[in-house]
Amino acid sequence: MKILILAPICAALMSPAAAFADDAKTIAETAHHAYVTAINSNDTDTLMAAMTSDIVYQSPGEPELVGQAAVRKWVANYFAAVKSVWDKQTLSFTVSGDWAVERYSWKVTETDRKTGVTTHTTGKGINIYHHDTDGHWRVAIDGWSGDAAQ
């Protein structure tokens, strides 16, 4: 009889952990999908809306860019130069309050808008997301590097 009484109590105590795991999975899927969709829009305004106002970009072989103005310029130049399709795969995703850290691998196909030449590149990166007051998870830091030597 004691086992039957304790079973609902144990289930109730375990539910918050299960709920948190489900929430973390949903956050991971939502945040990741929103960012990749924004990147693949090849539209500067759409991508900028997926970033915090103090966004930090750490792209390979370039100085760190901080803030929407600096990143907007980089993004606009990138989209003007190439049409890109990014495939980012989440390797790990950790949520802690209003912050989340994603480790990912990526493949990108870029087509030069002037020449039509297409290149394929692979790499890895880390995103740090922030849960903003409007309820959206936005990228606060995106740092990535390619697998090939620079």
Side-chain angles (χ1 to χ4, degrees):
M1 186 70 167
K2 289 180 184 178
I3 293 173
L4 294 176
I5 293 171
L6 290 178
I9 293 170
C10 289
L13 292 174
M14 292 171 50
S15 293
F20 180 77
D22 289 344
D23 287 347
K25 183 178 178 187
T26 299
I27 291 166
E29 291 169 355
T30 302
H32 174 87
H33 177 75
Y35 190 47
V36 173
T37 299
I39 292 169
N40 285 333
S41 73
N42 285 267
D43 178 77
T44 300
D45 291 335
T46 301
L47 182 52
M48 297 311 297
M51 299 178 196
T52 61
S53 61
D54 58 350
I55 180 68
V56 175
Y57 251 33
Q58 298 173 329
S59 61
E62 298 181 322
E64 182 176 75
L65 300 172
V66 179
Q68 283 253 345
V71 173
R72 175 178 285 282
K73 182 178 178 184
W74 187 95
V75 166
N77 288 338
Y78 176 73
F79 286 154
V82 299
K83 165 101 171 110
S84 64
V85 178
W86 288 78
D87 175 19
K88 291 188 174 192
Q89 299 297 313
T90 300
L91 302 175
S92 66
F93 201 101
T94 303
V95 178
S96 180
D98 286 338
W99 293 94
V101 177
E102 174 187 35
R103 188 172 62 89
Y104 64 89
S105 63
W106 56 264
K107 298 175 190 174
V108 64
T109 300
E110 296 171 320
T111 303
D112 186 290
R113 291 189 186 272
K114 289 182 183 173
T115 66
V117 172
T118 298
T119 58
H120 305 278
T121 313
T122 61
K124 65 276 186 195
I126 296 176
N127 283 331
I128 298 176
Y129 294 88
H130 184 257
H131 189 232
D132 285 344
T133 56
D134 65 0
H136 292 280
W137 285 89
R138 290 190 173 83
V139 175
I141 300 174
D142 189 354
W144 70 97
S145 64
D147 290 337
Q150 296 287 322

